[in-house]
Each structure stands twice: as structure tokens, then as C-alpha cells.
């Protein structure tokens, strides 16, 4: 099993996603002789998972059923164990595009955190690219190495435990892009410039506060970066609902309904406004925004090494 290469069958040691519904899923490490409890009953790894195809519908001990999905960076972002606050797909998508990442790209990242963005970066630069990720916290760095190894991507990533603001990324003049998600990114701009290739490399800094953005932009200007641009992504979700509205009686249309040429039993007339007037209401699909939605997550500042 690998997060960058699809496998057909579930094997012992794989990480799989147990899908109970769009709002209910969780990761599980498949192990021979192990069982997993769900609200629909027990899943026995030896008989219910190992050897089955990914995407299979598995019946639990209580008669309910779940789907077993192959892991992807998107699914992992929704289900990973949180060691820090993470980036979600909304910000990740614009980051990978604005940094102009592609297979073969070399990327430097700090900090690794829970590995949400890291998995997406690895999938984007595979199979010939590489991610150099730096994490200040030793235990988080060790856990990230363990996860990358379990997910079959350890050959595409190098995890370093050090302070990027003091010691940099450990590489020089090879990176196509640098991403910073640290409390004081302005202190790492110089090291980011050193890690980037000679010219044209891209940098992105994620910060929740505008004061951090201001200091970071000043540091970017000081180190000669150009095309400095800051934006934020706000996701607005709509629920599609069927709405019934009463149609006003406009008089003349009602008279047309009873005209000699109108046949209400004709199927072609069932959807006409005249037919709806007899019912008094009309139903249609409408997009309704949620009453509460996720607001500001952070500012994304992009720049280019000139």
C-alpha cells in the first residue's frame, strides 16, 4: 500500500479508510488477528479485510455494512490524528497550484506538523521529486517519519528535526518551491532563499494573523523576492434543497388554463405554468448557504525568487 500508488487488494500492514458515510469515516491499520469496533458491529481484519479488494462493501457483525477505501492525501487530511492544527484541501489546492508543483519538483517545507500538506506535496511531486520537511518538535518529527514509512512514501521525503529559523532546511540551491507554516516566517526567509534554485523558485508562507503577513512581506522585499501577493481562501458550501413556493393568481393565466385548446391530461402540459397554477404551488431546486460556515483560516503569501 502506498499513498502515491494504487493497490487493488488489502494487505496486512496497510492503512485503510473505513467509510461509514460522508460525515463518518476513520483510518485503521490492517493487522492479522485484529478486530475493529464500529457502530454496525465488529470488523475482523483476517477474514473481512485482508485479501479483499479496496472499495469492497464489508458486512459487520451486527448486520450493518461499511466500505473499505484506499487511502489518498484527501482522505488522510479528513481522518489523520491531529498533533497540530492542519491545512485542509481548500488551502492545499491553491498552494500546490501557485507553487507550480509537478512530478519531479523539489520542495522544502516547515513545519511538518500532522503531515496533512506533506502527503499532498509528496503525491504531487512523485515519482521523481522529493520533499524536504523540517519539524522543530522532536516527537512530531519521529511520528512523521513513522507515518511516511507506513504509508510507503519514505523514499520521497526527508524529515529533519531542527529549527528552520536558525539552521535552515539542510539543502542549498535545489528547491523549486518552499512552504513555511511557522510562527515567525520572516526569520526563515533568508534560509528559504538559500534553499531555492538560482532563479524562478516560488515561496509560500501561511500565517493566521495579518501582522505576521506584514513582517513576512517586508522580509521578502529585503531579500529580493518579487511578485509578492497575499490572499485568503474562503469556502462557502451550499445545500441543495427542494423549495415550494405559492404561485400568485394573475387572473389571465388562469383563464388560459380553461381555454378550449388546453388539455390538462396531456403529459406535455403537466410541467407548464398553467398546470402548476391549478396546484397553487411550484417546486424547484435551490442552493441555500449554511447558516454557519468555516471562516478565516489563514493568509497565504506567495513570492518569486528573482
Amino acid at each position: 500500500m502506498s499513498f502515491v500508488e494504487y493497490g487493488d487488494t488489502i494487505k496486512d500492514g496497510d492503512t485503510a479508510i473505513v467509510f461509514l458515510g460522508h460525515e463518518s469515516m476513520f483510518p485503521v491499520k490492517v493487522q492479522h488477528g485484529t478486530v475493529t469496533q464500529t457502530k454496525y458491529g465488529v470488523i475482523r481484519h483476517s477474514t473481512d479485510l485482508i485479501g479483499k479488494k479496496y472499495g469492497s462493501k464489508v458486512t459487520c457483525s451486527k448486520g450493518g455494512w461499511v466500505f473499505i477505501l484506499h487511502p489518498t492525501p484527501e482522505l488522510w487530511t479528513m481522518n489523520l490524528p491531529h498533533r497540530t492544527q492542519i491545512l485542509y484541501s481548500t488551502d492545499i489546492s491553491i498552494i500546490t497550484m501557485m507553487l507550480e508543483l509537478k512530478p519531479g519538483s523539489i520542495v522544502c517545507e516547515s513545519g511538518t506538523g500532522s503531515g496533512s500538506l506533506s502527503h499532498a506535496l509528496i503525491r504531487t511531486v512523485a515519482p521523481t521529486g522529493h520533499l524536504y520537511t523540517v519539524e522543530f518538535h522532536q516527537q512530531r518529527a519521529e511520528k512523521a517519519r513513522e507515518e511516511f514509512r507506513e504509508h510507503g512514501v519514505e523514499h520521497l521525503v526527508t524529515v529533519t528535526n531542527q529549527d528552520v529559523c536558525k539552521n535552515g532546511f539542510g539543502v542549498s540551491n535545489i528547491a523549486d518551491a518552499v512552504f513555511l507554516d511557522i510562527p515567525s516566517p520572516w526569520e526563515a526567509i533568508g534560509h528559504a532563499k538559500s534553499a531555492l534554485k538560482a532563479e524562478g523558485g516560488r515561496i509560500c508562507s501561511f500565517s493566521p494573523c495579518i501582522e505576521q503577513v506584514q513582517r513576512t512581506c517586508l522580509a521578502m522585499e529585503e531579500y529580493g523576492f518579487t511578485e509578492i501577493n497575499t490572499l485568503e481562501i474562503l469556502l462557502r458550501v451550499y445545500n441543495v434543497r427542494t423549495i415550494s413556493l405559492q404561485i400568485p393568481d394573475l387572473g389571465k393565466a388562469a383563464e388560459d388554463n380553461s381555454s378550449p385548446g388546453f388539455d390538462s391530461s396531456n403529459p406535455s402540459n403537466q410541467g407548464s405554468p398553467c398546470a402548476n397554477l391549478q396546484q397553487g404551488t411550484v417546486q424547484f431546486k435551490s442552493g441555500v448557504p449554511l447558516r454557519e460556515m468555516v471562516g478565516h483560516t489563514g493568509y497565504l503569501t506567495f513570492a518569486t525568487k528573482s
Side-chain angles (χ1 to χ4, degrees), residues 230-306:
T230 300
L231 53 88
E232 66 174 335
I233 309 299
L234 299 178
L235 178 65
R236 191 176 190 186
V237 179
Y238 282 79
N239 282 338
V240 178
R241 299 178 181 175
T242 300
I243 295 180
S244 297
L245 290 181
Q246 188 171 4
I247 297 180
D249 184 2
L250 301 179
K252 182 175 176 56
E255 294 174 3
D256 292 342
N257 188 12
S258 58
S259 63
F262 183 83
D263 182 7
S264 61
S265 63
N266 189 340
S268 63
N269 292 328
Q270 295 299 315
S272 67
C274 296
N276 287 332
L277 279 171
Q278 288 183 326
Q279 302 171 3
T281 61
V282 63
Q283 292 185 338
F284 61 93
K285 297 292 185 181
S286 176
V288 181
L290 301 179
R291 292 184 178 181
E292 295 182 358
M293 69 175 189
V294 176
H296 171 75
T297 56
Y299 299 102
L300 293 168
T301 301
F302 297 91
T304 303
K305 182 179 179 181
S306 62

Side-chain angles (χ1 to χ4, degrees), residues 1 9-18 26-36 43-52 54 58 68-71 150-151:
M1 185 277 304
T9 58
I10 305 170
K11 300 180 178 63
D12 188 14
D14 282 3
T15 298
I17 304 297
V18 179
F26 60 89
V28 61
K29 183 173 181 179
V30 180
Q31 293 178 311
H32 184 78
T34 303
V35 298
T36 296
I43 301 174
R44 295 175 176 83
H45 293 200
S46 301
T47 57
D48 297 333
L49 299 184
I50 297 176
K52 300 289 182 65
Y54 278 107
V58 174
I68 308 299
L69 305 181
H70 192 284
E150 291 177 351
H151 299 164

Side-chain angles (χ1 to χ4, degrees), residues 124-194:
T124 302
V125 305
T128 55
H130 200 84
L131 172 66
Y132 294 89
T133 182
V134 178
E135 172 57 51
F136 175 79
H137 194 276
Q138 182 178 359
Q139 291 180 333
R140 287 201 292 262
E142 293 173 353
K143 185 61 179 178
R145 289 193 193 97
E146 179 184 343
E147 286 181 348
F148 293 142
R149 184 171 57 255
E150 291 177 351
H151 299 164
V153 296
E154 71 276 9
H155 61 292
L156 297 170
V157 57
T158 299
V159 182
T160 305
N161 173 221
Q162 63 186 28
D163 186 350
V164 70
C165 297
K166 295 180 179 179
N167 306 114
F169 293 93
V171 296
S172 299
N173 302 320
I174 65 170
D176 297 290
V178 170
F179 176 79
L180 298 174
D181 183 5
I182 53 179
S184 53
W186 56 88
E187 295 181 0
I189 299 299
H191 294 296
K193 183 177 181 180
S194 300

Side-chain angles (χ1 to χ4, degrees), residues 60-119:
C60 304
S61 61
K62 292 181 180 179
W65 47 267
V66 298
F67 287 105
I68 308 299
L69 305 181
H70 192 284
T72 64
E74 291 80 9
L75 289 174
W76 186 245
T77 291
M78 297 171 63
N79 295 282
L80 58 77
H82 285 231
R83 300 183 288 273
T84 59
Q85 291 185 347
I86 68 169
L87 289 176
Y88 289 92
S89 297
T90 306
D91 289 314
I92 292 174
S93 59
I94 196 70
I95 290 170
T96 55
M97 184 188 75
M98 294 294 287
L99 290 182
E100 302 174 2
L101 301 182
K102 60 185 181 300
S105 296
I106 306 298
V107 186
C108 292
E109 175 198 27
S110 182
T112 312
S114 301
S116 174
L117 176 64
S118 303
H119 282 80

Side-chain angles (χ1 to χ4, degrees), residues 188-241:
I189 299 299
H191 294 296
K193 183 177 181 180
S194 300
L196 287 168
K197 59 187 181 182
E199 61 179 349
R202 295 278 287 167
I203 183 174
C204 174
S205 174
F206 177 90
S207 298
C209 301
I210 195 64
E211 291 82 6
Q212 294 170 303
V213 174
Q214 292 171 332
R215 296 189 65 175
T216 302
C217 289
L218 290 174
M220 287 179 175
E221 289 181 346
E222 180 182 347
Y223 281 95
F225 283 89
T226 60
E227 299 178 338
I228 301 173
N229 182 35
T230 300
L231 53 88
E232 66 174 335
I233 309 299
L234 299 178
L235 178 65
R236 191 176 190 186
V237 179
Y238 282 79
N239 282 338
V240 178
R241 299 178 181 175

